[in-house]
Amino acid sequence: MKRFLLLIATVLTVLSANAQIYQASSFGIKSDGVTLNTRSIQAAIDFISSHGGGVLEISVGRYLTGSIFMKSNVELRLLEGAVLVGSTNPYDYEMVEGNYGLLLAKGQTNIAVTGKGVIDGRGADCALNFLNQVHLGFLEDTTKYDRVTKRPKLIYFRECENVTIEGLNLRNSAEWTLVTDQCENLTISGILLDSKNYWNNDGLDIVDCRHVLVKDSFIDASDDAICFKSHSAAHLCEDIEVRNCVARSSASGFKFGTVSRGSFKNIRIIGNKVFDTYRSAITIQSVDGAEVENIVVDSLEAVNTGNAIYLRTGKRWGGAKEGYLRNITLSNIRVE
C-alpha cells in the first residue's frame, strides 16, 4: 500500500508541474448561469486532450452544462467561486454503460477534477423532470411509487486509470453522487459531498476498483455514505484505504455491498468518524457470492447510529454461489 501511495503522489506531482493551463473563457464558455455550455466545455476538453494534455481552468461564475466527457491527460480545475451547474433537462444528459451522468468518462487515463469550486447537480428538479417524462411516456423506466430509477449521477467514471478527484464541493446529485467503476489508481481527497436532494443518493460508491486512496473528506448522503460494491463476478474491490473521513448517512456510514458479486480484498478503514446514521456505522456483507477477506476497520468513532456493526453472509438472486467473510479485524471502535 505504501508503494502504491508513493507512486500516485509522484504521478500527480509530475502532471501538475508540467501541465499547460487553458482558461475556459478562451473557448467561449459563459459564466452567466443561463447559457448552456455543454458543447463548448466538451470542445475545450477534446482540444486539450488531443494537444498533449493540460488543465482547463474555470474561474468565478455559474456554468450551466449537460453531460461532459472527460478525456485522457486532462484536469478540470474549478477555482474557488466557480460553480458547474447541472441542467435540469433530461435530454441534456448522456450515458456510459447505462448510467446517466454530469461528468462522465470511460477508458481514459490520467484524468483529474480538482479545485475549491462546486459541482451542483440540482438533483430534485432534475429527478422530477425525469419522472415527468416517464409519466408522459417519452422515457422508459422501471419506476415504482414514482421513484424514478434512471437519473444522472454527478460523476461516473468507468474503466479509467490514474484518476484524481480533489478539493471539490459536490452537491445535490439526482442519484448516486460520485461513482468509480472498474477504475485503477484512484485518489479522492479533501472533498465536501452533500447529496440529500432525492432518495437513494449514495455519497461515494467504489465499484470493482483497485488501488484506491480516499482521505480527508466529508460525506453527507441520503443513502449509504461510503460504499464498496462489486457489480461483476469477474472483478473485485482490492487494495483500498479510507482514512480520516467523516460520514453522515440516512442508511449506513461504511458499507460493503449490498451488490457483492465479485470480491472485496485488502481494504483498510482507518481513523474515521460516523454520525447520525439510521442503520449501521459499518456494514460488511456477502450476499451475492463475494469473497470478503483481509478487511481492517480500526479507530472508528460513531455517534448517534442505529447500530454499530452489521456482518452478514447470505445467498440471493438464485444461482449465486455462497460467499464468505474471512480475516475481518474490527478494533478500537467507539460507539454511542
Side-chain angles (χ1 to χ4, degrees):
M1 187 68 180
K2 289 183 178 179
R3 290 183 62 190
F4 156 66
L5 298 180
L6 180 60
L7 173 62
I8 289 294
T10 302
V11 169
L12 294 179
T13 301
V14 170
L15 289 175
S16 299
N18 298 329
Q20 182 172 349
I21 298 175
Y22 298 84
Q23 299 301 321
S25 58
S26 299
F27 296 89
I29 299 168
K30 304 298 183 183
S31 61
D32 55 19
V34 177
T35 303
L36 187 65
N37 289 293
T38 310
R39 291 183 65 183
S40 52
I41 295 175
Q42 191 63 61
I45 290 172
D46 292 348
F47 176 88
I48 294 169
S49 179
S50 65
H51 285 75
V55 178
L56 177 61
E57 192 168 81
I58 298 181
S59 58
V60 176
R62 292 178 63 82
Y63 300 83
L64 180 65
T65 184
S67 292
I68 300 167
F69 289 82
M70 293 294 295
K71 298 294 180 64
S72 293
N73 303 314
V74 175
E75 175 184 343
L76 179 63
R77 182 183 297 165
L78 301 175
L79 300 181
E80 189 170 9
V83 184
L84 200 64
V85 182
S87 171
T88 60
N89 186 337
Y91 301 103
D92 288 333
Y93 289 92
E94 298 187 53
M95 282 187 172
V96 165
E97 297 289 333
N99 294 271
Y100 287 111
L102 184 60
L103 290 185
L104 296 165
K106 182 179 179 182
Q108 305 301 306
T109 302
N110 300 332
I111 60 174
V113 188
T114 68
K116 296 183 178 181
V118 174
I119 303 178
D120 187 343
R122 297 196 291 176
D125 289 340
C126 185
L128 292 174
N129 286 342
F130 266 81
L131 179 61
N132 180 60
Q133 294 299 293
V134 172
H135 284 174
L136 292 172
F138 300 140
L139 292 176
E140 293 185 3
D141 192 85
T142 57
T143 299
K144 294 182 179 179
Y145 312 113
D146 281 351
R147 295 172 64 161
V148 62
T149 55
K150 291 184 179 178
R151 315 184 303 273
K153 297 170 171 61
L154 209 61
I155 297 176
Y156 180 77
F157 291 166
R158 169 77 177 236
E159 298 170 23
C160 297
E161 294 186 15
N162 302 337
V163 177
T164 301
I165 300 169
E166 183 176 23
L168 297 165
N169 187 324
L170 305 178
R171 298 179 185 170
N172 305 325
S173 181
E175 207 232 32
W176 295 357
T177 310
L178 171 52
V179 183
T180 56
D181 191 344
Q182 296 181 26
C183 294
E184 291 197 17
N185 300 339
L186 165 68
T187 299
I188 299 171
S189 175
I191 66 168
L192 175 62
L193 188 155
D194 186 346
S195 190
K196 303 187 296 293
N197 256 199
Y198 210 66
W199 75 282
N200 188 223
N201 275 34
D202 283 8
L204 173 59
D205 289 283
I206 299 171
V207 184
D208 289 319
C209 292
R210 301 176 68 244
H211 313 315
V212 178
L213 174 64
V214 181
K215 65 175 184 175
D216 305 328
S217 295
F218 180 91
I219 312 291
D220 188 353
S222 62
D223 208 313
D224 300 317
I226 299 176
C227 193
F228 311 101
K229 296 180 182 291
S230 179
H231 289 171
S232 169
H235 294 86
L236 77 164
C237 283
E238 182 180 33
D239 188 19
I240 297 171
E241 181 167 309
V242 182
R243 182 180 292 274
N244 194 34
C245 293
V246 177
R248 194 227 59 93
S249 167
S250 298
S252 294
F254 289 88
K255 185 178 181 182
F256 290 68
T258 301
V259 183
S260 48
R261 288 191 169 103
S263 299
F264 305 92
K265 297 185 177 181
N266 303 322
I267 298 175
R268 294 162 52 83
I269 301 171
I270 309 295
N272 299 282
K273 296 181 180 179
V274 172
F275 71 98
D276 292 354
T277 55
Y278 296 149
R279 292 183 183 172
S280 308
I282 176 72
T283 294
I284 304 176
Q285 302 186 69
S286 171
V287 294
D288 306 317
E291 300 170 354
V292 183
E293 58 185 328
N294 300 332
I295 310 299
V296 174
V297 180
D298 184 70
S299 301
L300 176 67
E301 180 178 341
V303 177
N304 192 26
T305 187
N307 63 279
I309 299 165
Y310 181 63
L311 307 179
R312 178 191 175 197
T313 59
K315 188 175 181 180
R316 61 175 187 171
W317 297 341
K321 67 179 182 180
E322 191 78 31
Y324 61 77
L325 308 184
R326 182 179 297 161
N327 296 334
I328 311 296
T329 302
L330 309 172
S331 58
N332 300 314
I333 295 177
R334 177 181 178 272
V335 178
E336 294 183 8

mmCIF file of all heavy atoms in Angstrom, residues 73-98:
data_model
loop_
_atom_site.group_PDB
_atom_site.id
_atom_site.type_symbol
_atom_site.label_atom_id
_atom_site.label_comp_id
_atom_site.label_asym_id
_atom_site.label_seq_id
_atom_site.Cartn_x
_atom_site.Cartn_y
_atom_site.Cartn_z
ATOM 1 N N ASN A 73 -5.442 12.718 -19.926
ATOM 2 C CA ASN A 73 -4.436 13.759 -19.698
ATOM 3 C C ASN A 73 -5.033 15.150 -19.536
ATOM 4 O O ASN A 73 -4.369 16.160 -19.792
ATOM 5 C CB ASN A 73 -3.402 13.774 -20.833
ATOM 6 C CG ASN A 73 -2.726 12.442 -21.013
ATOM 7 O OD1 ASN A 73 -2.294 11.819 -20.044
ATOM 8 N ND2 ASN A 73 -2.656 11.964 -22.252
ATOM 9 N N VAL A 74 -6.285 15.211 -19.074
ATOM 10 C CA VAL A 74 -6.940 16.495 -18.851
ATOM 11 C C VAL A 74 -7.340 16.619 -17.386
ATOM 12 O O VAL A 74 -7.893 15.689 -16.796
ATOM 13 C CB VAL A 74 -8.188 16.662 -19.745
ATOM 14 C CG1 VAL A 74 -8.934 17.957 -19.406
ATOM 15 C CG2 VAL A 74 -7.788 16.664 -21.222
ATOM 16 N N GLU A 75 -7.048 17.782 -16.816
ATOM 17 C CA GLU A 75 -7.528 18.143 -15.480
ATOM 18 C C GLU A 75 -8.555 19.250 -15.614
ATOM 19 O O GLU A 75 -8.291 20.287 -16.219
ATOM 20 C CB GLU A 75 -6.365 18.619 -14.603
ATOM 21 C CG GLU A 75 -6.808 19.122 -13.230
ATOM 22 C CD GLU A 75 -5.662 19.681 -12.402
ATOM 23 O OE1 GLU A 75 -4.486 19.411 -12.730
ATOM 24 O OE2 GLU A 75 -5.943 20.419 -11.428
ATOM 25 N N LEU A 76 -9.738 19.033 -15.076
ATOM 26 C CA LEU A 76 -10.764 20.069 -14.989
ATOM 27 C C LEU A 76 -10.635 20.697 -13.611
ATOM 28 O O LEU A 76 -10.872 20.037 -12.602
ATOM 29 C CB LEU A 76 -12.148 19.447 -15.182
ATOM 30 C CG LEU A 76 -13.343 20.407 -15.090
ATOM 31 C CD1 LEU A 76 -13.296 21.464 -16.184
ATOM 32 C CD2 LEU A 76 -14.656 19.631 -15.151
ATOM 33 N N ARG A 77 -10.246 21.968 -13.582
ATOM 34 C CA ARG A 77 -9.954 22.646 -12.310
ATOM 35 C C ARG A 77 -10.970 23.768 -12.086
ATOM 36 O O ARG A 77 -11.017 24.744 -12.844
ATOM 37 C CB ARG A 77 -8.535 23.203 -12.318
ATOM 38 C CG ARG A 77 -8.124 23.878 -11.016
ATOM 39 C CD ARG A 77 -6.722 24.455 -11.137
ATOM 40 N NE ARG A 77 -5.721 23.416 -11.374
ATOM 41 C CZ ARG A 77 -4.481 23.673 -11.796
ATOM 42 N NH1 ARG A 77 -4.098 24.920 -12.054
ATOM 43 N NH2 ARG A 77 -3.623 22.666 -11.981
ATOM 44 N N LEU A 78 -11.763 23.627 -11.026
ATOM 45 C CA LEU A 78 -12.748 24.641 -10.672
ATOM 46 C C LEU A 78 -12.183 25.491 -9.550
ATOM 47 O O LEU A 78 -12.008 25.019 -8.421
ATOM 48 C CB LEU A 78 -14.052 23.985 -10.218
ATOM 49 C CG LEU A 78 -14.754 23.059 -11.216
ATOM 50 C CD1 LEU A 78 -15.964 22.405 -10.579
ATOM 51 C CD2 LEU A 78 -15.151 23.814 -12.462
ATOM 52 N N LEU A 79 -11.884 26.749 -9.853
ATOM 53 C CA LEU A 79 -11.351 27.650 -8.841
ATOM 54 C C LEU A 79 -12.438 28.043 -7.844
ATOM 55 O O LEU A 79 -13.636 27.889 -8.105
ATOM 56 C CB LEU A 79 -10.767 28.890 -9.502
ATOM 57 C CG LEU A 79 -9.617 28.655 -10.497
ATOM 58 C CD1 LEU A 79 -9.118 29.988 -11.057
ATOM 59 C CD2 LEU A 79 -8.481 27.876 -9.853
ATOM 60 N N GLU A 80 -12.035 28.556 -6.696
ATOM 61 C CA GLU A 80 -12.992 28.989 -5.685
ATOM 62 C C GLU A 80 -13.947 30.026 -6.281
ATOM 63 O O GLU A 80 -13.518 30.981 -6.925
ATOM 64 C CB GLU A 80 -12.254 29.572 -4.486
ATOM 65 C CG GLU A 80 -13.148 29.853 -3.297
ATOM 66 C CD GLU A 80 -12.354 30.194 -2.051
ATOM 67 O OE1 GLU A 80 -11.126 30.380 -2.147
ATOM 68 O OE2 GLU A 80 -12.973 30.281 -0.977
ATOM 69 N N GLY A 81 -15.236 29.803 -6.094
ATOM 70 C CA GLY A 81 -16.240 30.696 -6.663
ATOM 71 C C GLY A 81 -16.808 30.207 -7.977
ATOM 72 O O GLY A 81 -17.791 30.762 -8.481
ATOM 73 N N ALA A 82 -16.219 29.178 -8.546
ATOM 74 C CA ALA A 82 -16.733 28.586 -9.784
ATOM 75 C C ALA A 82 -17.754 27.502 -9.443
ATOM 76 O O ALA A 82 -17.508 26.657 -8.582
ATOM 77 C CB ALA A 82 -15.603 27.996 -10.616
ATOM 78 N N VAL A 83 -18.903 27.528 -10.127
ATOM 79 C CA VAL A 83 -19.952 26.538 -9.892
ATOM 80 C C VAL A 83 -20.343 25.928 -11.232
ATOM 81 O O VAL A 83 -20.817 26.631 -12.134
ATOM 82 C CB VAL A 83 -21.195 27.170 -9.234
ATOM 83 C CG1 VAL A 83 -22.230 26.078 -8.920
ATOM 84 C CG2 VAL A 83 -20.820 27.933 -7.983
ATOM 85 N N LEU A 84 -20.138 24.634 -11.357
ATOM 86 C CA LEU A 84 -20.597 23.889 -12.521
ATOM 87 C C LEU A 84 -22.012 23.431 -12.205
ATOM 88 O O LEU A 84 -22.240 22.656 -11.279
ATOM 89 C CB LEU A 84 -19.681 22.696 -12.775
ATOM 90 C CG LEU A 84 -19.701 22.068 -14.165
ATOM 91 C CD1 LEU A 84 -19.199 23.063 -15.212
ATOM 92 C CD2 LEU A 84 -18.851 20.809 -14.190
ATOM 93 N N VAL A 85 -22.987 23.943 -12.966
ATOM 94 C CA VAL A 85 -24.401 23.746 -12.652
ATOM 95 C C VAL A 85 -25.007 22.752 -13.633
ATOM 96 O O VAL A 85 -24.961 22.965 -14.851
ATOM 97 C CB VAL A 85 -25.167 25.084 -12.736
ATOM 98 C CG1 VAL A 85 -26.629 24.871 -12.353
ATOM 99 C CG2 VAL A 85 -24.532 26.130 -11.835
ATOM 100 N N GLY A 86 -25.574 21.674 -13.125
ATOM 101 C CA GLY A 86 -26.181 20.668 -13.975
ATOM 102 C C GLY A 86 -27.509 21.130 -14.543
ATOM 103 O O GLY A 86 -28.332 21.739 -13.851
ATOM 104 N N SER A 87 -27.733 20.832 -15.804
ATOM 105 C CA SER A 87 -29.018 21.109 -16.436
ATOM 106 C C SER A 87 -30.111 20.280 -15.760
ATOM 107 O O SER A 87 -29.860 19.176 -15.279
ATOM 108 C CB SER A 87 -28.954 20.776 -17.925
ATOM 109 O OG SER A 87 -30.241 20.845 -18.507
ATOM 110 N N THR A 88 -31.336 20.800 -15.763
ATOM 111 C CA THR A 88 -32.473 20.030 -15.246
ATOM 112 C C THR A 88 -33.281 19.402 -16.379
ATOM 113 O O THR A 88 -34.330 18.807 -16.133
ATOM 114 C CB THR A 88 -33.387 20.915 -14.381
ATOM 115 O OG1 THR A 88 -33.879 22.004 -15.174
ATOM 116 C CG2 THR A 88 -32.631 21.451 -13.178
ATOM 117 N N ASN A 89 -32.805 19.531 -17.612
ATOM 118 C CA ASN A 89 -33.472 18.945 -18.775
ATOM 119 C C ASN A 89 -32.938 17.527 -18.997
ATOM 120 O O ASN A 89 -31.744 17.341 -19.260
ATOM 121 C CB ASN A 89 -33.208 19.808 -20.007
ATOM 122 C CG ASN A 89 -33.984 19.351 -21.228
ATOM 123 O OD1 ASN A 89 -34.387 18.195 -21.333
ATOM 124 N ND2 ASN A 89 -34.193 20.244 -22.173
ATOM 125 N N PRO A 90 -33.789 16.512 -18.924
ATOM 126 C CA PRO A 90 -33.304 15.132 -19.098
ATOM 127 C C PRO A 90 -32.573 14.899 -20.406
ATOM 128 O O PRO A 90 -31.676 14.041 -20.472
ATOM 129 C CB PRO A 90 -34.590 14.301 -19.040
ATOM 130 C CG PRO A 90 -35.547 15.128 -18.250
ATOM 131 C CD PRO A 90 -35.221 16.559 -18.603
ATOM 132 N N TYR A 91 -32.910 15.663 -21.439
ATOM 133 C CA TYR A 91 -32.331 15.420 -22.756
ATOM 134 C C TYR A 91 -30.969 16.087 -22.945
ATOM 135 O O TYR A 91 -30.383 15.994 -24.021
ATOM 136 C CB TYR A 91 -33.328 15.853 -23.834
ATOM 137 C CG TYR A 91 -34.633 15.098 -23.692
ATOM 138 C CD1 TYR A 91 -35.751 15.707 -23.136
ATOM 139 C CD2 TYR A 91 -34.714 13.760 -24.045
ATOM 140 C CE1 TYR A 91 -36.933 14.996 -22.962
ATOM 141 C CE2 TYR A 91 -35.896 13.039 -23.881
ATOM 142 C CZ TYR A 91 -37.004 13.661 -23.328
ATOM 143 O OH TYR A 91 -38.167 12.951 -23.160
ATOM 144 N N ASP A 92 -30.468 16.715 -21.889
ATOM 145 C CA ASP A 92 -29.106 17.248 -21.915
ATOM 146 C C ASP A 92 -28.098 16.242 -21.362
ATOM 147 O O ASP A 92 -26.908 16.557 -21.244
ATOM 148 C CB ASP A 92 -29.025 18.548 -21.110
ATOM 149 C CG ASP A 92 -29.709 19.711 -21.809
ATOM 150 O OD1 ASP A 92 -29.777 19.683 -23.050
ATOM 151 O OD2 ASP A 92 -30.191 20.632 -21.122
ATOM 152 N N TYR A 93 -28.562 15.019 -21.034
ATOM 153 C CA TYR A 93 -27.694 14.025 -20.418
ATOM 154 C C TYR A 93 -27.488 12.821 -21.329
ATOM 155 O O TYR A 93 -28.389 12.404 -22.048
ATOM 156 C CB TYR A 93 -28.273 13.575 -19.069
ATOM 157 C CG TYR A 93 -28.173 14.654 -18.023
ATOM 158 C CD1 TYR A 93 -29.218 15.544 -17.817
ATOM 159 C CD2 TYR A 93 -27.006 14.821 -17.288
ATOM 160 C CE1 TYR A 93 -29.121 16.564 -16.877
ATOM 161 C CE2 TYR A 93 -26.892 15.824 -16.344
ATOM 162 C CZ TYR A 93 -27.952 16.702 -16.148
ATOM 163 O OH TYR A 93 -27.832 17.707 -15.234
ATOM 164 N N GLU A 94 -26.268 12.274 -21.242
ATOM 165 C CA GLU A 94 -25.910 11.069 -21.989
ATOM 166 C C GLU A 94 -25.491 9.974 -21.002
ATOM 167 O O GLU A 94 -25.351 10.218 -19.802
ATOM 168 C CB GLU A 94 -24.793 11.379 -22.979
ATOM 169 C CG GLU A 94 -25.189 12.414 -24.028
ATOM 170 C CD GLU A 94 -24.129 12.590 -25.088
ATOM 171 O OE1 GLU A 94 -23.705 11.578 -25.693
ATOM 172 O OE2 GLU A 94 -23.708 13.748 -25.305
ATOM 173 N N MET A 95 -25.269 8.781 -21.560
ATOM 174 C CA MET A 95 -24.985 7.613 -20.724
ATOM 175 C C MET A 95 -23.616 7.015 -21.003
ATOM 176 O O MET A 95 -23.103 7.104 -22.114
ATOM 177 C CB MET A 95 -26.029 6.516 -20.971
ATOM 178 C CG MET A 95 -27.362 6.720 -20.305
ATOM 179 S SD MET A 95 -28.385 5.227 -20.544
ATOM 180 C CE MET A 95 -29.773 5.628 -19.481
ATOM 181 N N VAL A 96 -23.062 6.382 -19.979
ATOM 182 C CA VAL A 96 -21.948 5.444 -20.097
ATOM 183 C C VAL A 96 -22.376 4.165 -19.399
ATOM 184 O O VAL A 96 -22.741 4.194 -18.208
ATOM 185 C CB VAL A 96 -20.661 6.009 -19.469
ATOM 186 C CG1 VAL A 96 -19.645 4.903 -19.271
ATOM 187 C CG2 VAL A 96 -20.075 7.123 -20.320
ATOM 188 N N GLU A 97 -22.367 3.052 -20.123
ATOM 189 C CA GLU A 97 -22.739 1.750 -19.559
ATOM 190 C C GLU A 97 -24.073 1.813 -18.812
ATOM 191 O O GLU A 97 -24.217 1.269 -17.707
ATOM 192 C CB GLU A 97 -21.640 1.244 -18.623
ATOM 193 C CG GLU A 97 -20.308 0.994 -19.292
ATOM 194 C CD GLU A 97 -20.327 -0.223 -20.219
ATOM 195 O OE1 GLU A 97 -21.146 -1.125 -19.966
ATOM 196 O OE2 GLU A 97 -19.527 -0.259 -21.167
ATOM 197 N N GLY A 98 -25.060 2.488 -19.406
ATOM 198 C CA GLY A 98 -26.387 2.547 -18.816
ATOM 199 C C GLY A 98 -26.549 3.546 -17.690
ATOM 200 O O GLY A 98 -27.594 3.577 -17.026
#
